[in-house]
Every structure is written in structure tokens, then in C-alpha cells.
Amino acid sequence: MSNVYLVFSYYGKPDLRSLLSFYLSRTTTYFFEVLILFFGISLLGLHPFFVKILATIIVVILNYFFSKFLIFKKK
């Protein structure tokens, strides 16, 4: 959790709530990525490489916003 200090300027004490929120958000974005891959490759028939690139970009943005505004928000 040391990255949180540098990236989000979060100096609150890491607690169980923030830890669970962090893992829940990462699990949520993982399943979101799986859905994007499934729909893009299996249902739409798009090239897997480009679907993976798009899914990765979306997941990175979502992870940032979850961390910035929900998990490590300033108190």
C-alpha cells in the first residue's frame, strides 16, 4: 500500500475497509474485462488483440477512478 502515498497523496491509516474496497474494486474490474473480452471476441467477432487493448485501457481508467474517488479519497 506504499504506492497509495505517492499516487493519491493518501496519508490515512490503511484499514480493513480500504483493503477490502481495493480488492473488491479490482475483482469488479476483472469481471468487467472478462465481459468486454467475451462480447468483443465471441459475440462481435473482433480481433482478440484489439479487444484486449481496449479492455485494458478501460480497466486501467476504471481502476484509477475507483482508487482515487472511492477507496483512497481524502477525508
Side-chain angles (χ1 to χ4, degrees):
M1 298 261 295
S2 62
N3 292 8
V4 73
Y5 302 120
L6 298 173
V7 176
F8 301 112
S9 299
Y10 177 80
Y11 292 101
K13 183 178 179 184
D15 56 354
L16 185 60
R17 182 195 131 319
S18 62
L19 179 67
L20 291 175
S21 298
F22 179 81
Y23 284 116
L24 180 64
S25 72
R26 292 306 189 266
T27 304
T28 302
T29 56
Y30 166 75
F31 285 115
F32 191 68
E33 181 176 11
V34 170
L35 284 174
I36 292 171
L37 293 172
F38 174 74
F39 283 114
I41 297 168
S42 297
L43 298 181
L44 298 176
L46 300 173
H47 193 279
F49 178 77
F50 297 114
V51 176
K52 179 61 178 174
I53 295 290
L54 176 67
T56 300
I57 291 169
I58 291 170
V59 166
V60 166
I61 292 169
L62 285 174
N63 282 335
Y64 174 79
F65 280 105
F66 280 152
S67 295
K68 179 78 173 175
F69 298 111
L70 295 178
I71 301 167
F72 303 116
K73 63 184 175 192
K74 293 183 181 181
K75 296 178 181 179

